[in-house]
Amino acid sequence: MNKTIYDAVKKIRQENIVSFHMPGHKYGRLPRKIEYQEFFSDIYEFDTTEIYGTDNLHNPKSIIKQSQINSRKVLFPESDNYDLIYLVNGSTCGIESSIFCSVKKGDKIILNRGCHQSVYNSCLVSDLKPIFVGENISKEGVFIGVEEREYIEAIENNKDASVVIITRPTYYGMVFDVENIIAKAHEYGMRVIVDEAHGAHFNLHDIFPKSSVYFGADFVIQSLHKTLPCFTQASVLLVNRDRINRSEMGKLSSSLNIFESSSPSYLLMSSIEICVEQTEKFGKKLMEDLLNNIYIFKRKVKNYKIFETSDPTKIFINTIDKGINGHDFAKLLRYKYNIQVEMSNYSGILMLCSICNVKKDFDLLYDAMNDIVEKNMFTLNSDDNYEYDGFFGYDEKVNYGGVEDKSVSDDGIKSLKKSKKIDLDFPSVIPDRRLSPRDAFDATKVSIDIEKSVGKVCGEFIIPYPPGVCIIAPGEIISEEIIDFIVKAREINMEINGMLSSDFSKIQIVDCD
């Protein structure tokens, strides 16, 4: 068998890529320094299941139960009113389970438009009625968050809603005040679920915003693997026992049985323990070092604009002002300078830093960015471009086990110098809704040319990735703004999840005839 996945990952590992992307362990950089060589070298021998001597994540009574208690005491030592539950299917299963145990079929749910896809999935599963609040987006496409008054107004106008969903911080590291939002929701008996997937590191320094745990949210979900040294999918769910009674805890447990694997990975749970112990021993010192390295890096950068984020470990760099769209800049960093960013949009690149990044990472990034400018590799709206030097060869970079990655072919790389000035504004108007997400999902659908779909009822999710935010969902009316965005996104080869049409030329609509 041709092991295409294994060979590709092995090749990436051998290239020693500079990681400014998740997972937060940056290819195992931190744990390998300490006392866990046995775990990493004999990983198959640590892979077990529910047998004598272990425990059951879905009904923990011994080692898992105690481990969860220990982790809560380390991560949230002052929050004795919260239970911490390990998640092995990422924050996705924690979000879906928290919603499922808090609603009945057909309930209203208040949510921000920039929420994770798992929230939309929950609307489908429980046939919920979504009440959206607007999302503030900068001209660079950075998701800033939601104004407090937007949530308060939605709560006051929908006092019969069951749940309020808050995404904080955003993917880009932006936060907003939530204390009054949580209090207002509780005033009307609503559950507050906070997607804090990108905030697992907040307790490591006073410079960071406070976790929503400290404001009394009912459920808070964190992805340890995103910003801390933990295996991908390893996450935690924090449950406020002052708000969730014993019966409701039973419903939550049943919900986790539905949305989470019945074969929990002991490798993932072990990585959580290692992560928490490493964080306890070295986290604050390493975070101090990281923040200092970021501060020095930002002060040195003169040729690029850096967006000011609430979380300094998220660095968004504007590249389009230098004549390079972010998608092309990200490819250039990876295939010429061996630096991998977390995400790119048309305006720039997003770097996700963790306590496992070191000074050399930032030095290499700074040198690469300067080199691109000094060599004038790209010039916006000009034919005076950097001469292509053939630094991207199939054999060298993009051929894994005989499988060609066409997204970074020679022709594709050569075209990078032709950055086009496109006003690619993320749709800001929430589409009108004709059907519930569930009714639209279940309805008969047909595919039509996207340019002919204005005014039709959308039959599929359309989710540009990154950042993985839904611009239109099943049951919503397709607008000119939506079509314009998709067409322009198609022109620059942006990835779009959810669309049946592989070339994004057609869109699924509900057959209303």
Side-chain angles (χ1 to χ4, degrees):
M1 175 181 169
N2 197 357
K3 307 184 301 299
T4 56
I5 296 174
Y6 177 85
D7 290 344
V9 175
K10 181 180 178 181
K11 186 174 179 65
I12 288 171
R13 175 177 174 270
Q14 292 171 340
E15 289 172 350
N16 293 316
I17 290 170
V18 178
S19 171
F20 285 104
H21 63 90
M22 64 179 78
H25 58 71
K26 311 297 180 184
Y27 299 101
R29 184 177 277 169
L30 179 64
R32 280 186 165 80
K33 289 181 178 178
I34 321 296
E35 65 263 28
Y36 300 104
Q37 291 292 340
E38 184 181 12
F39 176 75
F40 289 104
S41 61
D42 301 318
I43 196 164
Y44 268 93
E45 297 178 15
F46 280 81
D47 189 22
T48 185
T49 187
E50 293 86 356
I51 59 174
Y52 293 124
T54 63
D55 201 356
N56 183 353
L57 177 61
H58 291 291
N59 185 26
K61 297 178 180 177
S62 57
I63 60 173
I64 294 178
K65 180 179 180 180
Q66 188 58 52
S67 180
Q68 291 178 153
I69 292 171
N70 295 343
S71 291
R72 199 277 306 161
K73 288 180 178 179
V74 172
L75 298 176
F76 292 92
E78 300 172 1
S79 302
D80 293 337
N81 58 318
Y82 276 85
D83 283 341
L84 183 148
I85 299 171
Y86 290 162
L87 303 173
V88 295
N89 288 116
S91 288
T92 293
C93 73
I95 292 169
E96 291 172 342
S97 298
S98 299
I99 294 174
F100 194 69
C101 78
S102 302
V103 300
K104 296 183 178 65
K105 180 181 178 181
D107 278 0
K108 286 183 182 179
I109 180 172
I110 297 172
L111 61 155
N112 61 302
R113 190 67 185 185
C115 66
H116 189 261
Q117 187 177 353
S118 57
V119 181
Y120 289 95
N121 293 343
S122 296
C123 290
L124 285 177
V125 170
S126 297
D127 195 13
L128 303 178
K129 299 173 183 175
I131 308 297
F132 290 106
V133 294
E135 197 91 22
N136 292 322
I137 307 171
S138 77
K139 65 181 180 64
E140 296 92 351
V142 172
F143 280 70
I144 296 173
V146 183
E147 292 184 21
E148 179 185 291
R149 61 177 178 79
E150 290 267 356
Y151 267 112
I152 298 297
E153 184 176 317
I155 292 169
E156 290 285 4
N157 292 337
N158 298 275
K159 297 176 182 177
D160 55 341
S162 296
V163 169
V164 175
I165 301 290
I166 298 173
T167 306
R168 176 187 180 271
T170 71
Y171 189 17
Y172 295 84
M174 302 300 292
V175 302
F176 51 96
D177 293 335
V178 294
E179 186 171 12
N180 291 335
I181 298 170
I182 294 172
K184 179 59 68 174
H186 285 169
E187 182 181 328
Y188 296 112
M190 302 175 191
R191 293 276 178 257
V192 178
I193 301 171
V194 180
D195 176 357
E196 203 167 86
H198 285 268
H201 58 295
F202 278 3
N203 282 353
L204 292 181
H205 201 282
D206 291 339
I207 196 173
F208 295 116
K210 282 190 172 295
S211 166
S212 293
V213 164
Y214 298 107
F215 303 119
D218 299 272
F219 302 98
V220 177
I221 302 95
Q222 293 186 342
S223 292
L224 301 186
H225 69 94
K226 284 181 167 58
T227 60
L228 292 176
C230 216
F231 283 175
T232 297
Q233 290 189 202
S235 303
V236 295
L237 167 62
L238 291 135
V239 185
N240 187 345
R241 289 198 317 275
D242 290 344
R243 295 274 309 162
I244 310 300
N245 61 38
R246 186 177 179 84
S247 174
E248 291 167 325
M249 285 294 288
K251 192 174 180 182
L252 173 63
S253 179
S254 297
S255 300
L256 285 166
N257 278 325
I258 294 170
F259 293 102
E260 189 171 35
S261 172
S262 60
S263 302
S265 168
Y266 273 81
L267 298 179
L268 292 181
M269 289 186 285
S270 295
S271 85
I272 292 176
E273 283 195 322
I274 293 172
C275 167
V276 173
E277 183 177 58
Q278 299 278 295
T279 300
E280 181 182 26
K281 289 180 177 179
F282 312 108
K284 292 186 183 297
K285 172 62 170 62
L286 289 172
M287 181 56 73
E288 191 72 47
D289 293 343
L290 172 65
L291 292 171
N292 185 55
N293 288 331
I294 291 172
Y295 174 76
I296 293 171
F297 169 77
K298 288 182 175 180
R299 285 201 61 180
K300 285 166 58 179
V301 172
K302 305 297 182 185
N303 292 317
Y304 300 81
K305 294 178 183 176
I306 298 180
F307 193 91
E308 192 66 34
T309 54
S310 309
D311 174 2
T313 68
K314 293 289 185 70
I315 305 175
F316 184 82
I317 301 169
N318 180 309
T319 65
I320 194 60
D321 286 352
K322 292 298 174 185
I324 318 174
N325 75 65
H327 304 299
D328 289 352
F329 195 91
K331 290 179 183 177
L332 184 59
L333 282 179
R334 171 62 188 278
Y335 292 105
K336 185 169 176 63
Y337 300 98
N338 208 35
I339 297 170
Q340 178 63 54
V341 306
E342 166 63 21
M343 186 275 287
S344 61
N345 65 16
Y346 189 74
S347 296
I349 55 172
L350 179 68
M351 323 301 288
L352 189 156
C353 312
S354 85
I355 57 175
C356 296
N357 283 113
V358 296
K359 181 179 182 297
K360 183 178 179 181
D361 297 339
F362 294 95
D363 291 341
L364 290 170
L365 175 60
Y366 174 76
D367 290 343
M369 290 167 59
N370 272 358
D371 195 47
I372 291 169
V373 171
E374 289 171 4
K375 290 181 177 177
N376 195 28
M377 292 185 188
F378 296 73
T379 304
L380 192 63
N381 296 327
S382 170
D383 293 328
D384 181 22
N385 293 301
Y386 177 71
E387 183 178 351
Y388 172 72
D389 61 6
F391 45 77
F392 303 99
Y394 281 123
D395 294 336
E396 191 173 87
K397 288 291 183 182
V398 296
N399 195 310
Y400 298 114
V403 178
E404 181 181 297
D405 183 356
K406 295 181 179 179
S407 68
V408 289
S409 69
D410 267 5
D411 288 340
I413 297 303
K414 287 176 184 177
S415 69
L416 293 184
K417 64 182 181 181
K418 300 175 183 176
S419 287
K420 293 179 283 189
K421 186 67 173 178
I422 298 176
D423 294 325
L424 190 66
D425 295 327
F426 202 90
S428 57
V429 178
I430 297 173
D432 293 330
R433 174 166 297 285
R434 180 77 56 82
L435 300 172
S436 74
R438 181 57 181 268
D439 286 344
F441 186 81
D442 290 341
T444 301
K445 302 174 189 69
V446 295
S447 289
I448 65 171
D449 291 341
I450 193 165
E451 289 83 359
K452 299 178 181 178
S453 64
V454 177
K456 304 295 186 181
V457 179
C458 188
E460 59 188 351
F461 289 105
I462 298 180
I463 306 168
Y465 187 85
V469 172
C470 181
I471 60 171
I472 190 165
E476 295 178 340
I477 305 299
I478 302 168
S479 66
E480 287 276 10
E481 184 186 29
I482 297 293
I483 293 174
D484 185 57
F485 180 88
I486 296 171
V487 170
K488 289 179 178 177
R490 188 174 65 196
E491 290 178 8
I492 61 170
N493 297 317
M494 179 185 288
E495 285 294 322
I496 302 178
N497 293 344
M499 295 186 74
L500 184 63
S501 172
S502 59
D503 63 359
F504 314 136
S505 62
K506 294 184 180 293
I507 188 170
Q508 291 264 295
I509 64 166
V510 174
D511 186 359
C512 297
D513 296 333

